[in-house]
Amino acid sequence: MKTTTRVCIIGGGVVGCSVAYHLTKLGWSDVMLLERSELTSGSTWHAAGGFHTLNGDTNMAALQGYTIRLYRELEALTGMSCGLHHVGGVTLADTPERLDMLKAERAKHRYMGMDTEIIGPDEIKKLSPITNVDGVLGGLYDPLDGHLDPSGTTHAYARAAKMGGAEIVLHTKVIATTPRADGTWNVVTDKGTIHAEHLVNAAGLWAREVAAMAGCYLPLHPMEHQYIVTDEVPEIMAMLDAGGEHPHVMDPSGESYLRQEGRGLCIGFYEQKCRPWAVNGTSWDFGHELLADDFDKIEESIAFAYKRFPVLERAGVKSVIHGPFTFAPDGNPLVGPVPGLRNYWSACGVMAGFSQGGGVGLMLAQWMIAGEAERDVSAMDVARFGRWIGPGYTLPKVIENYQTRFSVVYPNQELPAARPHRTTPMYDTFDAMGAVWGAQYGLEVVNYFAQPGEVRYETPSFRRSNAWEATAREVMGVRQAVGINELQNFGKYAVTGRDARAWLDRIMAGRIPAPGRLSLTPMLSEKGKIIGDFTVSCLSDTEFQLTASYGAQDMHMRWFDTHLAGDVQVVNVSDRRTGFQIAGPRARDLLAAVTSADVSAEAFRFMDVKRMVVGLSDAIVQRVSYTGDLGFEIFVDALEQRALWQALWDKGQAFGITAFGMRAMMSLRLDRFFGSWMREFSPDYTAAETGLDRFIQFKKNTDFIGRSLAEAERASPPARKLAHFVVDAADADVVAYEPIWLDGAVVGFCTSGGYSHWTGQSVATGFLPADRITEGLEVEIEILGEMRKARVVTAPLWDDPRMRA
């Protein structure tokens, strides 16, 4: 066994072997994989081996498609069989809501180039004669679905990695991982110490324990999972004799997945009576064992399955597979550089290893070698969970995710487990005012306020919800008088030091403002992709405040820490500095009523930032508003937030003040076509594609990160750009990823949309070919399977000159 390596991968399951293969495929041959037992030990060996492309996140769905297509390549490269069975699969819908979800997914697939289709009960019965279609309204058919041999596939990855130069060392247990001062790692094993430049935690069931060796916590937890393999089934034997195979059938109502296994069937369940496993840690002695059979917890699921697939009641049980799999709180993998640790990479929580393992390996290898992946990996970025997360939060969220794995996923859904968890000082006040709560990054955020007598629960729906009236009421309150909204759900960073301005000029693509001013700027990756949408406020020559998305804190801090240089300090003050925004035609009157400072239009210009006393507090106040109105953002110490609220709320009564939440905010921003993080602006897009290039300061002499690509797109504009639409919608508005049709073909997709209560129109934003974007261009947008007429609008729907006066 060698004692030095460029990359040391801990874990010999399908994910670890995929990472090893992809690293060698992309050019890093000095790769070492350590496995304490045999390859596939842990979860891999007892996996059901099914694969599918269906995923609510489009990038995850694309990576699952990549994984599935990769298997033929692996077989050709290694000469080994993955045991592939591309039998196709259908997901059933027995309620209008489930069918709406499948229609929305099918629409996404159109522009992704995926060949799925909505089929009716008769077509389902032809594909799957053993399915009882009584009550079934339709289904989503995917020809790529299938199953494989888990062990054969894992060994094929391993052989491909060894062919590329990787070394795979078995029966070698990692005892400790110790960082060196230069950012490299000592990996201590029971057979000696290995010095590695990069360390990859792909330890699966033991990922928590391996992470703890490095002093970090990864939010994942194993769950018990059970599936049954039957004896021979006559109907399956008849299909085999006729030269066919039975497709996969996912029955969300029954919380089950079914496929052919030899001459019988395999059916697994995501039961409500689920059980977490190894709550206090995974034993190092566990490996190729199974858990004891437990039919009691799947009793109700089996009863439902007998009705959906009557042949099961007559089939004998050949074997029961009951073993643990790891899940993250939202069910997606934990991949990428772990914040706070240099050269430490996560490849954990990949519950659907044979659907996602190839894509995870590819993205991580690209990230390690090139500094970023080719597509947006935010949905599986290990940094999407902040450092506040711990086992007490992870466990109930993992249980919830398991129980809702086959549930309908609504765009406005708020899941209840582990809530409330993180709250601001305003929580009790807002709750008493009728707040209907949402959650962002573990934080309770007001979605809207219900009035006395109104239901304090937003019904999950793909269509307009019962929040409609409350949202409209709050929008009108802002536009007609003054609204107040909490500022906690912004990421906030204090940047100080002698070199702060020079550092920001390098990190940010836009103009770094003079003292007393603020600017808007994108933050770009090395490849010119958008990794942040920031407001930069200059408080002095050596002190700046940055604001951006609250949910991207760890991603942004990881980037800042990686690129720190000179006399600069960056501190995340997101939960230390908070406050309120006030917006609307009476906003200036309200601010004047709570401060002795001059806040007239002449003294306090649009995009100014000032320190002043507001009420009892020393505050940072900036004149800017995401609603598009005249507005101010007021930041104070978090301990003084309630006092600030009292001052604003009491004085605001004379001006008709209205408290508003995020539902109203997202409606108000539509009138001005303001983009939103992870909708219009994300690492999938460039500044020129989204219009953020208008904030890039090309005149500055700094070689800011991403400049070369931004310059290239300036010289040769991109083929697609964002456009804005007014939509002839019915009872459902655009959410995201709906295909845009022009001349009978899909030419783009929507990034977001909604209803503008102020202008009374359904609005959408999406990508179109740049040369087709003209005022009044008529297109069609597919919403829940219906083609809705839409037209391009190039000027904002509403503009209040007071905003900039």
Side-chain angles (χ1 to χ4, degrees), residues 422 424 440-441 443 485-495 533-537 539 544-554 556-557 560 569-580 620 622 633-638 641:
R422 305 178 75 231
T424 74
Q440 181 188 9
Y441 203 60
L443 175 74
N485 174 268
E486 193 172 24
L487 277 177
Q488 175 64 20
N489 57 325
F490 283 95
K492 297 170 285 287
Y493 312 90
V495 181
D533 171 30
F534 281 83
T535 298
V536 179
S537 305
L539 305 175
F544 297 82
Q545 174 177 277
L546 313 182
T547 54
S549 170
Y550 188 77
Q553 288 174 55
D554 260 28
H556 287 154
M557 281 302 300
F560 296 154
Q569 297 80 45
V570 182
V571 179
N572 183 354
V573 295
S574 298
D575 296 325
R576 301 187 214 169
R577 192 176 291 175
T578 188
F580 303 94
I620 297 171
Q622 45 197 42
E633 294 177 347
I634 308 169
F635 298 92
V636 297
D637 185 285
Q641 187 187 22

Short mmCIF file of all heavy atoms in Angstrom, two decimals, residues 422 424 440-441 443 485-495 533-537 539 544-554 556-557 560 569-580 620 622 633-638 641:
data_model
loop_
_atom_site.label_atom_id
_atom_site.label_comp_id
_atom_site.label_asym_id
_atom_site.label_seq_id
_atom_site.Cartn_x
_atom_site.Cartn_y
_atom_site.Cartn_z
N ARG A 422 -35.56 27.54 14.29
CA ARG A 422 -34.83 28.80 14.44
C ARG A 422 -35.82 29.94 14.23
O ARG A 422 -36.51 30.00 13.22
CB ARG A 422 -33.68 28.88 13.43
CG ARG A 422 -32.73 27.70 13.53
CD ARG A 422 -31.63 27.77 12.48
NE ARG A 422 -30.63 28.77 12.82
CZ ARG A 422 -30.21 29.72 12.00
NH1 ARG A 422 -30.72 29.83 10.79
NH2 ARG A 422 -29.27 30.56 12.37
N THR A 424 -36.72 34.34 15.01
CA THR A 424 -36.20 35.66 15.35
C THR A 424 -36.94 36.19 16.58
O THR A 424 -37.95 35.61 17.01
CB THR A 424 -36.39 36.64 14.18
OG1 THR A 424 -37.78 37.00 14.11
CG2 THR A 424 -35.95 36.02 12.86
N GLN A 440 -37.10 28.77 5.79
CA GLN A 440 -35.99 28.93 4.86
C GLN A 440 -34.71 28.74 5.64
O GLN A 440 -34.44 29.45 6.60
CB GLN A 440 -36.00 30.30 4.19
CG GLN A 440 -34.86 30.48 3.19
CD GLN A 440 -34.75 31.91 2.67
OE1 GLN A 440 -35.41 32.80 3.15
NE2 GLN A 440 -33.92 32.11 1.67
N TYR A 441 -33.91 27.73 5.23
CA TYR A 441 -32.61 27.51 5.86
C TYR A 441 -32.78 27.31 7.37
O TYR A 441 -31.99 27.76 8.18
CB TYR A 441 -31.73 28.73 5.57
CG TYR A 441 -30.23 28.50 5.64
CD1 TYR A 441 -29.59 27.57 4.83
CD2 TYR A 441 -29.44 29.26 6.50
CE1 TYR A 441 -28.22 27.40 4.88
CE2 TYR A 441 -28.06 29.10 6.55
CZ TYR A 441 -27.46 28.16 5.75
OH TYR A 441 -26.09 28.00 5.80
N LEU A 443 -35.01 28.64 9.24
CA LEU A 443 -35.56 29.82 9.89
C LEU A 443 -37.05 29.96 9.58
O LEU A 443 -37.48 29.78 8.43
CB LEU A 443 -34.83 31.07 9.39
CG LEU A 443 -35.36 32.42 9.88
CD1 LEU A 443 -34.99 32.64 11.34
CD2 LEU A 443 -34.81 33.56 9.01
N ASN A 485 -41.80 44.58 6.41
CA ASN A 485 -41.44 43.18 6.23
C ASN A 485 -40.11 42.92 6.92
O ASN A 485 -39.19 43.75 6.84
CB ASN A 485 -41.35 42.86 4.73
CG ASN A 485 -40.85 41.46 4.43
OD1 ASN A 485 -39.66 41.26 4.27
ND2 ASN A 485 -41.76 40.52 4.35
N GLU A 486 -39.98 41.78 7.56
CA GLU A 486 -38.76 41.46 8.29
C GLU A 486 -37.59 41.22 7.32
O GLU A 486 -37.75 40.60 6.27
CB GLU A 486 -39.00 40.21 9.14
CG GLU A 486 -37.92 39.95 10.17
CD GLU A 486 -38.30 38.83 11.12
OE1 GLU A 486 -39.11 37.97 10.75
OE2 GLU A 486 -37.76 38.81 12.25
N LEU A 487 -36.40 41.67 7.72
CA LEU A 487 -35.20 41.55 6.89
C LEU A 487 -34.30 40.39 7.29
O LEU A 487 -33.21 40.25 6.76
CB LEU A 487 -34.36 42.83 6.97
CG LEU A 487 -34.77 44.00 6.08
CD1 LEU A 487 -33.86 45.19 6.36
CD2 LEU A 487 -34.68 43.63 4.61
N GLN A 488 -34.76 39.55 8.21
CA GLN A 488 -33.88 38.50 8.70
C GLN A 488 -33.44 37.55 7.59
O GLN A 488 -32.31 37.09 7.56
CB GLN A 488 -34.59 37.71 9.81
CG GLN A 488 -33.82 36.52 10.31
CD GLN A 488 -32.51 36.90 11.00
OE1 GLN A 488 -32.36 38.04 11.42
NE2 GLN A 488 -31.59 35.97 11.09
N ASN A 489 -34.34 37.24 6.66
CA ASN A 489 -34.03 36.23 5.66
C ASN A 489 -33.21 36.78 4.49
O ASN A 489 -33.51 36.56 3.33
CB ASN A 489 -35.30 35.54 5.15
CG ASN A 489 -36.30 36.48 4.56
OD1 ASN A 489 -36.45 37.60 5.02
ND2 ASN A 489 -37.00 36.03 3.54
N PHE A 490 -32.18 37.53 4.83
CA PHE A 490 -31.12 37.91 3.92
C PHE A 490 -29.79 37.47 4.54
O PHE A 490 -29.58 37.65 5.75
CB PHE A 490 -31.07 39.43 3.68
CG PHE A 490 -32.12 39.95 2.75
CD1 PHE A 490 -33.31 40.47 3.24
CD2 PHE A 490 -31.92 39.93 1.38
CE1 PHE A 490 -34.28 40.95 2.39
CE2 PHE A 490 -32.89 40.41 0.52
CZ PHE A 490 -34.08 40.92 1.01
N GLY A 491 -28.91 36.92 3.73
CA GLY A 491 -27.56 36.69 4.21
C GLY A 491 -26.84 38.02 4.30
O GLY A 491 -26.93 38.84 3.38
N LYS A 492 -26.14 38.26 5.42
CA LYS A 492 -25.48 39.54 5.64
C LYS A 492 -24.05 39.30 6.10
O LYS A 492 -23.80 38.46 6.97
CB LYS A 492 -26.25 40.36 6.68
CG LYS A 492 -27.67 40.72 6.24
CD LYS A 492 -28.50 41.30 7.36
CE LYS A 492 -28.97 40.28 8.36
NZ LYS A 492 -30.05 39.41 7.86
N TYR A 493 -23.12 40.04 5.51
CA TYR A 493 -21.70 39.82 5.78
C TYR A 493 -21.02 41.16 6.02
O TYR A 493 -21.22 42.12 5.26
CB TYR A 493 -21.02 39.11 4.60
CG TYR A 493 -21.80 37.90 4.13
CD1 TYR A 493 -22.78 38.03 3.13
CD2 TYR A 493 -21.60 36.65 4.70
CE1 TYR A 493 -23.52 36.93 2.72
CE2 TYR A 493 -22.34 35.55 4.29
CZ TYR A 493 -23.30 35.70 3.31
OH TYR A 493 -24.04 34.62 2.90
N ALA A 494 -20.21 41.23 7.06
CA ALA A 494 -19.41 42.41 7.35
C ALA A 494 -18.01 42.18 6.80
O ALA A 494 -17.34 41.21 7.17
CB ALA A 494 -19.36 42.66 8.85
N VAL A 495 -17.58 43.04 5.88
CA VAL A 495 -16.27 42.94 5.27
C VAL A 495 -15.46 44.16 5.71
O VAL A 495 -15.86 45.30 5.43
CB VAL A 495 -16.36 42.89 3.74
CG1 VAL A 495 -14.97 42.77 3.11
CG2 VAL A 495 -17.22 41.72 3.29
N ASP A 533 -25.79 37.03 -6.06
CA ASP A 533 -26.47 38.26 -6.51
C ASP A 533 -26.49 39.19 -5.30
O ASP A 533 -27.32 39.03 -4.41
CB ASP A 533 -27.88 37.89 -6.98
CG ASP A 533 -28.74 39.09 -7.25
OD1 ASP A 533 -28.20 40.13 -7.63
OD2 ASP A 533 -29.98 38.98 -7.08
N PHE A 534 -25.56 40.15 -5.25
CA PHE A 534 -25.27 40.88 -4.02
C PHE A 534 -25.63 42.36 -4.09
O PHE A 534 -25.56 42.99 -5.14
CB PHE A 534 -23.76 40.79 -3.70
CG PHE A 534 -23.36 39.48 -3.07
CD1 PHE A 534 -23.12 38.36 -3.85
CD2 PHE A 534 -23.24 39.37 -1.69
CE1 PHE A 534 -22.75 37.17 -3.28
CE2 PHE A 534 -22.87 38.17 -1.11
CZ PHE A 534 -22.62 37.07 -1.90
N THR A 535 -25.96 42.88 -2.91
CA THR A 535 -25.96 44.32 -2.66
C THR A 535 -24.71 44.61 -1.84
O THR A 535 -24.49 43.99 -0.79
CB THR A 535 -27.20 44.77 -1.90
OG1 THR A 535 -28.36 44.49 -2.68
CG2 THR A 535 -27.14 46.26 -1.60
N VAL A 536 -23.88 45.53 -2.31
CA VAL A 536 -22.66 45.94 -1.60
C VAL A 536 -22.88 47.35 -1.08
O VAL A 536 -23.11 48.28 -1.87
CB VAL A 536 -21.43 45.89 -2.52
CG1 VAL A 536 -20.19 46.35 -1.75
CG2 VAL A 536 -21.22 44.49 -3.08
N SER A 537 -22.80 47.53 0.23
CA SER A 537 -22.99 48.84 0.85
C SER A 537 -21.69 49.29 1.48
O SER A 537 -21.10 48.56 2.28
CB SER A 537 -24.07 48.76 1.94
OG SER A 537 -25.28 48.22 1.41
N LEU A 539 -19.86 51.49 3.98
CA LEU A 539 -20.06 52.28 5.19
C LEU A 539 -18.87 53.19 5.45
O LEU A 539 -19.01 54.24 6.08
CB LEU A 539 -20.29 51.34 6.38
CG LEU A 539 -21.45 50.34 6.19
CD1 LEU A 539 -21.52 49.39 7.36
CD2 LEU A 539 -22.77 51.07 6.02
N PHE A 544 -17.61 47.43 4.82
CA PHE A 544 -18.68 47.19 3.86
C PHE A 544 -19.68 46.19 4.44
O PHE A 544 -19.33 45.34 5.27
CB PHE A 544 -18.12 46.62 2.55
CG PHE A 544 -17.19 47.53 1.82
CD1 PHE A 544 -15.84 47.62 2.20
CD2 PHE A 544 -17.64 48.30 0.77
CE1 PHE A 544 -14.97 48.46 1.52
CE2 PHE A 544 -16.78 49.14 0.08
CZ PHE A 544 -15.44 49.22 0.47
N GLN A 545 -20.92 46.30 4.00
CA GLN A 545 -21.93 45.29 4.29
C GLN A 545 -22.38 44.67 2.98
O GLN A 545 -22.70 45.38 2.03
CB GLN A 545 -23.14 45.90 5.01
CG GLN A 545 -24.30 44.90 5.20
CD GLN A 545 -25.46 45.49 5.97
OE1 GLN A 545 -25.46 45.53 7.19
NE2 GLN A 545 -26.47 45.95 5.24
N LEU A 546 -22.40 43.34 2.93
CA LEU A 546 -22.92 42.60 1.78
C LEU A 546 -24.22 41.94 2.16
O LEU A 546 -24.36 41.41 3.27
CB LEU A 546 -21.93 41.51 1.33
CG LEU A 546 -20.45 41.87 1.17
CD1 LEU A 546 -19.68 40.64 0.67
CD2 LEU A 546 -20.28 43.03 0.22
N THR A 547 -25.20 41.95 1.26
CA THR A 547 -26.44 41.22 1.49
C THR A 547 -26.74 40.37 0.26
O THR A 547 -26.48 40.76 -0.88
CB THR A 547 -27.64 42.15 1.77
OG1 THR A 547 -27.74 43.11 0.72
CG2 THR A 547 -27.47 42.87 3.09
N ALA A 548 -27.27 39.17 0.52
CA ALA A 548 -27.59 38.21 -0.55
C ALA A 548 -28.60 37.22 0.00
O ALA A 548 -29.21 37.45 1.05
CB ALA A 548 -26.32 37.52 -1.04
N SER A 549 -28.76 36.10 -0.68
CA SER A 549 -29.74 35.09 -0.27
C SER A 549 -29.37 34.48 1.08
O SER A 549 -28.23 34.08 1.31
CB SER A 549 -29.82 33.99 -1.32
OG SER A 549 -30.58 32.89 -0.84
N TYR A 550 -30.35 34.39 1.96
CA TYR A 550 -30.13 33.82 3.30
C TYR A 550 -29.74 32.34 3.21
O TYR A 550 -28.90 31.86 3.97
CB TYR A 550 -31.40 33.98 4.12
CG TYR A 550 -31.28 33.60 5.58
CD1 TYR A 550 -30.64 34.46 6.48
CD2 TYR A 550 -31.81 32.41 6.06
CE1 TYR A 550 -30.53 34.13 7.82
CE2 TYR A 550 -31.71 32.08 7.40
CZ TYR A 550 -31.07 32.94 8.28
OH TYR A 550 -30.96 32.60 9.62
N GLY A 551 -30.33 31.62 2.27
CA GLY A 551 -30.09 30.18 2.17
C GLY A 551 -28.77 29.81 1.56
O GLY A 551 -28.41 28.63 1.52
N ALA A 552 -27.99 30.80 1.08
CA ALA A 552 -26.70 30.51 0.45
C ALA A 552 -25.53 30.87 1.34
O ALA A 552 -24.39 30.97 0.88
CB ALA A 552 -26.60 31.25 -0.89
N GLN A 553 -25.77 31.06 2.63
CA GLN A 553 -24.72 31.55 3.53
C GLN A 553 -23.45 30.70 3.50
O GLN A 553 -22.34 31.22 3.34
CB GLN A 553 -25.24 31.60 4.96
CG GLN A 553 -26.24 32.68 5.24
CD GLN A 553 -26.80 32.57 6.64
OE1 GLN A 553 -26.05 32.53 7.62
NE2 GLN A 553 -28.10 32.48 6.75
N ASP A 554 -23.60 29.40 3.71
CA ASP A 554 -22.41 28.56 3.78
C ASP A 554 -21.73 28.44 2.42
O ASP A 554 -20.50 28.31 2.35
CB ASP A 554 -22.77 27.17 4.33
CG ASP A 554 -22.42 27.05 5.81
OD1 ASP A 554 -22.42 28.10 6.48
OD2 ASP A 554 -22.14 25.94 6.27
N HIS A 556 -21.65 30.84 0.18
CA HIS A 556 -20.94 32.10 -0.02
C HIS A 556 -19.73 32.22 0.90
O HIS A 556 -18.66 32.67 0.48
CB HIS A 556 -21.90 33.27 0.17
CG HIS A 556 -22.87 33.43 -0.97
ND1 HIS A 556 -24.10 34.03 -0.82
CD2 HIS A 556 -22.80 33.04 -2.27
CE1 HIS A 556 -24.74 34.02 -1.99
NE2 HIS A 556 -23.97 33.42 -2.87
N MET A 557 -19.88 31.84 2.16
CA MET A 557 -18.74 31.92 3.08
C MET A 557 -17.62 30.97 2.64
O MET A 557 -16.44 31.30 2.81
CB MET A 557 -19.19 31.59 4.50
CG MET A 557 -19.89 32.74 5.21
SD MET A 557 -18.90 34.26 5.35
CE MET A 557 -17.48 33.68 6.28
N PHE A 560 -15.86 32.90 -0.04
CA PHE A 560 -15.08 34.00 0.53
C PHE A 560 -13.81 33.47 1.19
O PHE A 560 -12.71 34.00 0.98
CB PHE A 560 -15.91 34.77 1.57
CG PHE A 560 -17.11 35.48 1.01
CD1 PHE A 560 -18.21 35.74 1.82
CD2 PHE A 560 -17.16 35.88 -0.30
CE1 PHE A 560 -19.32 36.40 1.33
CE2 PHE A 560 -18.28 36.54 -0.82
CZ PHE A 560 -19.36 36.79 0.01
N GLN A 569 -11.15 40.92 6.57
CA GLN A 569 -11.90 40.01 7.44
C GLN A 569 -13.35 39.96 6.95
O GLN A 569 -13.95 41.01 6.68
CB GLN A 569 -11.88 40.50 8.90
CG GLN A 569 -10.49 40.55 9.54
CD GLN A 569 -9.70 41.78 9.14
OE1 GLN A 569 -10.23 42.90 9.13
NE2 GLN A 569 -8.42 41.61 8.79
N VAL A 570 -13.87 38.75 6.81
CA VAL A 570 -15.26 38.57 6.40
C VAL A 570 -15.97 37.81 7.51
O VAL A 570 -15.56 36.70 7.87
CB VAL A 570 -15.37 37.79 5.07
CG1 VAL A 570 -16.85 37.66 4.67
CG2 VAL A 570 -14.58 38.47 3.98
N VAL A 571 -17.01 38.40 8.05
CA VAL A 571 -17.77 37.79 9.14
C VAL A 571 -19.22 37.65 8.71
O VAL A 571 -19.83 38.62 8.22
CB VAL A 571 -17.67 38.63 10.43
CG1 VAL A 571 -18.48 37.98 11.54
CG2 VAL A 571 -16.21 38.79 10.85
N ASN A 572 -19.76 36.46 8.88
CA ASN A 572 -21.18 36.24 8.60
C ASN A 572 -21.99 36.80 9.77
O ASN A 572 -21.95 36.26 10.88
CB ASN A 572 -21.43 34.74 8.44
CG ASN A 572 -22.87 34.42 8.05
OD1 ASN A 572 -23.72 35.30 8.02
ND2 ASN A 572 -23.15 33.17 7.77
N VAL A 573 -22.73 37.88 9.50
CA VAL A 573 -23.54 38.51 10.55
C VAL A 573 -25.03 38.34 10.27
O VAL A 573 -25.86 39.11 10.76
CB VAL A 573 -23.18 40.01 10.69
CG1 VAL A 573 -21.76 40.18 11.18
CG2 VAL A 573 -23.41 40.76 9.38
N SER A 574 -25.36 37.31 9.51
CA SER A 574 -26.76 37.12 9.09
C SER A 574 -27.72 37.06 10.26
O SER A 574 -28.85 37.55 10.17
CB SER A 574 -26.87 35.83 8.27
OG SER A 574 -26.09 35.90 7.11
N ASP A 575 -27.30 36.45 11.36
CA ASP A 575 -28.20 36.32 12.50
C ASP A 575 -27.88 37.31 13.62
O ASP A 575 -28.53 37.31 14.66
CB ASP A 575 -28.13 34.89 13.05
CG ASP A 575 -28.63 33.87 12.04
OD1 ASP A 575 -29.57 34.20 11.29
OD2 ASP A 575 -28.07 32.76 11.98
N ARG A 576 -26.90 38.16 13.39
CA ARG A 576 -26.57 39.19 14.38
C ARG A 576 -27.14 40.55 13.99
O ARG A 576 -27.40 41.40 14.83
CB ARG A 576 -25.05 39.34 14.52
CG ARG A 576 -24.32 38.09 14.94
CD ARG A 576 -22.86 38.44 15.20
NE ARG A 576 -21.98 37.33 14.84
CZ ARG A 576 -20.66 37.44 14.78
NH1 ARG A 576 -20.09 38.60 15.05
NH2 ARG A 576 -19.92 36.40 14.45
N ARG A 577 -27.29 40.76 12.69
CA ARG A 577 -27.76 42.04 12.16
C ARG A 577 -29.07 41.78 11.44
O ARG A 577 -29.11 40.99 10.50
CB ARG A 577 -26.71 42.62 11.22
CG ARG A 577 -26.93 44.05 10.82
CD ARG A 577 -25.77 44.54 9.97
NE ARG A 577 -24.51 44.67 10.73
CZ ARG A 577 -23.34 44.99 10.19
NH1 ARG A 577 -23.27 45.19 8.87
NH2 ARG A 577 -22.25 45.09 10.94
N THR A 578 -30.14 42.42 11.88
CA THR A 578 -31.45 42.16 11.30
C THR A 578 -32.25 43.46 11.27
O THR A 578 -31.69 44.53 11.45
CB THR A 578 -32.18 41.06 12.10
OG1 THR A 578 -33.37 40.68 11.42
CG2 THR A 578 -32.50 41.49 13.51
N GLY A 579 -33.53 43.37 11.02
CA GLY A 579 -34.33 44.59 10.96
C GLY A 579 -35.54 44.43 10.08
O GLY A 579 -36.12 43.35 9.97
N PHE A 580 -35.90 45.53 9.39
CA PHE A 580 -37.12 45.55 8.58
C PHE A 580 -36.91 46.40 7.34
O PHE A 580 -36.07 47.31 7.32
CB PHE A 580 -38.29 46.15 9.39
CG PHE A 580 -38.56 45.42 10.67
CD1 PHE A 580 -37.99 45.84 11.85
CD2 PHE A 580 -39.36 44.28 10.67
CE1 PHE A 580 -38.22 45.15 13.03
CE2 PHE A 580 -39.58 43.59 11.85
CZ PHE A 580 -39.01 44.02 13.03
N ILE A 620 -28.19 50.93 10.42
CA ILE A 620 -27.71 51.11 9.05
C ILE A 620 -28.96 51.15 8.18
O ILE A 620 -29.75 50.20 8.17
CB ILE A 620 -26.78 49.96 8.62
CG1 ILE A 620 -25.52 49.93 9.49
CG2 ILE A 620 -26.42 50.09 7.15
CD1 ILE A 620 -24.67 48.68 9.28
N GLN A 622 -30.51 51.85 4.31
CA GLN A 622 -30.20 52.04 2.89
C GLN A 622 -31.49 52.20 2.10
O GLN A 622 -32.50 51.55 2.37
CB GLN A 622 -29.34 50.90 2.36
CG GLN A 622 -29.72 49.51 2.73
CD GLN A 622 -28.57 48.53 2.48
OE1 GLN A 622 -27.40 48.81 2.77
NE2 GLN A 622 -28.90 47.37 1.93
N GLU A 633 -34.31 49.91 3.75
CA GLU A 633 -33.94 48.74 4.54
C GLU A 633 -33.22 49.23 5.78
O GLU A 633 -32.27 50.02 5.69
CB GLU A 633 -33.04 47.81 3.73
CG GLU A 633 -33.75 47.19 2.54
CD GLU A 633 -32.86 46.32 1.67
OE1 GLU A 633 -31.61 46.40 1.84
OE2 GLU A 633 -33.39 45.59 0.83
N ILE A 634 -33.68 48.80 6.95
CA ILE A 634 -33.18 49.30 8.24
C ILE A 634 -32.60 48.12 9.01
O ILE A 634 -33.33 47.19 9.37
CB ILE A 634 -34.30 49.97 9.05
CG1 ILE A 634 -35.03 51.02 8.19
CG2 ILE A 634 -33.75 50.59 10.32
CD1 ILE A 634 -36.32 51.53 8.83
N PHE A 635 -31.29 48.16 9.27
CA PHE A 635 -30.61 47.07 9.95
C PHE A 635 -30.16 47.52 11.34
O PHE A 635 -29.57 48.60 11.49
CB PHE A 635 -29.37 46.63 9.16
CG PHE A 635 -29.67 46.10 7.79
CD1 PHE A 635 -29.66 46.95 6.68
CD2 PHE A 635 -29.95 44.75 7.58
CE1 PHE A 635 -29.92 46.47 5.42
CE2 PHE A 635 -30.22 44.26 6.32
CZ PHE A 635 -30.21 45.12 5.24
N VAL A 636 -30.41 46.66 12.33
CA VAL A 636 -29.97 46.93 13.70
C VAL A 636 -29.42 45.64 14.30
O VAL A 636 -29.54 44.55 13.70
CB VAL A 636 -31.12 47.46 14.58
CG1 VAL A 636 -31.63 48.79 14.06
CG2 VAL A 636 -32.26 46.44 14.68
N ASP A 637 -28.85 45.75 15.49
CA ASP A 637 -28.45 44.56 16.23
C ASP A 637 -29.69 43.71 16.51
O ASP A 637 -30.76 44.23 16.82
CB ASP A 637 -27.80 45.00 17.55
CG ASP A 637 -27.23 43.82 18.32
OD1 ASP A 637 -28.01 43.06 18.92
OD2 ASP A 637 -25.99 43.66 18.33
N ALA A 638 -29.53 42.38 16.39
CA ALA A 638 -30.69 41.49 16.53
C ALA A 638 -31.39 41.66 17.88
O ALA A 638 -32.62 41.48 17.97
CB ALA A 638 -30.25 40.04 16.34
N GLN A 641 -34.17 44.31 17.73
CA GLN A 641 -35.17 44.23 16.67
C GLN A 641 -36.58 44.54 17.17
O GLN A 641 -37.36 45.22 16.50
CB GLN A 641 -35.14 42.83 16.03
CG GLN A 641 -36.05 42.73 14.81
CD GLN A 641 -36.15 41.32 14.26
OE1 GLN A 641 -35.91 40.35 14.96
NE2 GLN A 641 -36.53 41.20 13.00
#
